[in-house]
Amino acid sequence: MDKLIKTISSNGHFRAFVLDSTETVRTAQEKHDTMASSTVALGRTLIASQILAANEKGDTKITLKILGDGGLGAVIAVANSKGQVKGYIQNPDADYKRTSTGEVIVGPLIGAGQFLVITDYGTGHPYHSMTPLISGEIGEDFAYYMTESQQTPSAIGLNVLLDQDDKVKVAGGFMLQVLPGATDAEISRFEKRIQDMPAISSLLASENPSQALLQAIYGQDEYKLLSEEPLHFVCDCSKERFMDALASLLTSDLQEMKEEDKGADITCQFCGSHYHFDETDLEELIHDKS
């Protein structure tokens, strides 16, 4: 089962989240039939949104949009504080050649654009914050967002490791944040440890990826476990939700669907579920609007 582990250094000066999101990203790949580059891009976006949502409480919902001008198009993930996430990528068939070491590159396919976060507290007035994409590799863009928009210096690692058949082998990430009270010497020690950290793909491929990440982050520094929470790919779509969406259309449009198309078919962009609305459904909507 996927999980998010929240920790804090024993002196309270550093906080770290580590995530094993393998099943989450594997489910997304299966639902969207993504290629190698699009799988990694979507996976990193899902993990980043899970990290952002882990900072929230209650019914807060986080929507992360990677809006680049490259071949992948928009990459979108929606997560909540309960560990649930869903997402999709505009062009799942886009792919890019690998490096000589076999690493999947996504930056050129993301391109230039914006890293947009929408925080919905359920009050009807969501909060938007945005920073430019600086590399398109998503992890660096996320760290830049946290520093510039949230004013929280953060070290972030996100990755998705694929097997020889380009299926998700393991996926996960981490975020380390400096908290008030940290001394320059402590910050330097943690910075050096992050700089010397093995490739996150190798840590994720270890027998216990969460513990490998924590060991790489904290080294000999002691830390306390705050919580361990499950993570899941969950889509909350339903026929009722799409019925409400159809109800927002003009009566003339609904009448046209009923008479010319004999119904309507809608596919959820987040999970691929199909919903059919027959003439009776449309007539009910038309009647309700009259």
Side-chain angles (χ1 to χ4, degrees):
M1 178 187 292
D2 287 355
K3 60 185 176 181
L4 162 72
I5 298 176
K6 298 180 180 180
T7 65
I8 192 168
S9 62
S10 294
N11 62 12
H13 294 171
F14 298 87
R15 175 174 63 180
F17 295 168
V18 298
L19 299 88
D20 180 350
S21 301
T22 303
E23 290 302 322
T24 296
V25 179
R26 189 173 288 154
T27 300
Q29 181 184 39
E30 292 169 355
K31 288 185 177 298
H32 297 291
D33 195 23
T34 46
M35 302 288 284
S37 294
S38 50
T39 297
V40 173
L42 177 57
R44 290 179 184 174
T45 304
L46 291 168
I47 298 165
S49 69
Q50 288 177 317
I51 292 175
L52 284 166
N55 275 319
E56 303 296 337
K57 297 178 181 179
D59 294 326
T60 301
K61 184 182 295 183
I62 296 288
T63 300
L64 171 58
K65 297 184 178 183
I66 307 297
L67 304 175
D69 60 4
L72 289 173
V75 192
I76 297 174
V78 182
N80 61 30
S81 57
K82 301 177 181 67
Q84 299 172 335
V85 68
K86 63 181 179 180
Y88 75 95
I89 188 164
Q90 191 172 358
N91 297 317
D93 294 332
D95 207 0
Y96 193 74
K97 63 182 180 181
R98 299 184 182 220
T99 65
S100 57
T101 58
E103 183 180 359
V104 177
I105 301 297
V106 302
L109 280 175
I110 292 290
Q114 305 294 332
F115 187 102
L116 172 63
V117 177
I118 304 170
T119 306
D120 186 353
Y121 299 106
T123 62
H125 300 283
Y127 174 74
H128 293 65
S129 52
M130 183 170 57
T131 52
L133 295 171
I134 59 171
S135 73
E137 294 295 333
I138 301 174
E140 294 96 328
D141 302 307
F142 187 12
Y144 182 76
Y145 168 83
M146 292 300 295
T147 299
E148 293 297 312
S149 181
Q150 302 296 312
Q151 304 298 306
T152 307
S154 306
I156 291 169
L158 314 168
N159 216 343
V160 178
L161 189 64
L162 306 179
D163 62 19
Q164 65 272 18
D165 298 317
D166 285 341
K167 300 299 182 183
V168 175
K169 182 177 181 181
V170 68
F174 74 88
M175 178 174 70
L176 170 67
Q177 294 184 306
V178 180
L179 301 178
T183 66
D184 290 342
E186 288 175 330
I187 294 172
S188 295
R189 184 168 72 249
F190 272 84
E191 283 180 341
K192 185 176 190 313
R193 198 176 294 136
I194 295 299
Q195 290 169 357
D196 296 340
M197 178 184 286
I200 188 171
S201 56
S202 66
L203 295 173
L204 291 174
S206 61
E207 188 172 336
N208 190 330
S210 296
Q211 288 305 314
L213 285 167
L214 287 170
Q215 176 60 38
I217 291 167
Y218 284 107
Q220 299 303 311
D221 284 87
E222 294 184 357
Y223 64 90
K224 294 182 288 187
L225 176 68
L226 296 177
S227 66
E228 186 170 314
E229 303 164 10
L231 301 172
H232 304 279
F233 186 105
V234 176
C235 187
D236 54 356
C237 70
S238 66
K239 186 169 184 177
E240 290 72 22
R241 279 177 174 250
F242 284 114
M243 194 80 161
D244 290 341
L246 285 173
S248 66
L249 297 178
L250 295 173
T251 301
S252 57
D253 292 334
L254 293 171
Q255 195 71 42
E256 184 177 331
M257 289 180 189
K258 177 191 170 188
E259 294 175 358
E260 297 186 11
D261 301 327
K262 307 303 180 185
D265 290 282
I266 299 177
T267 300
C268 176
Q269 61 189 357
F270 286 102
C271 69
S273 295
H274 301 282
Y275 297 94
H276 175 70
F277 300 87
D278 59 24
E279 294 175 78
T280 302
D281 294 323
L282 297 179
E283 180 57 41
E284 179 183 328
L285 292 173
I286 293 168
H287 180 268
D288 289 343
K289 293 172 75 73
S290 61

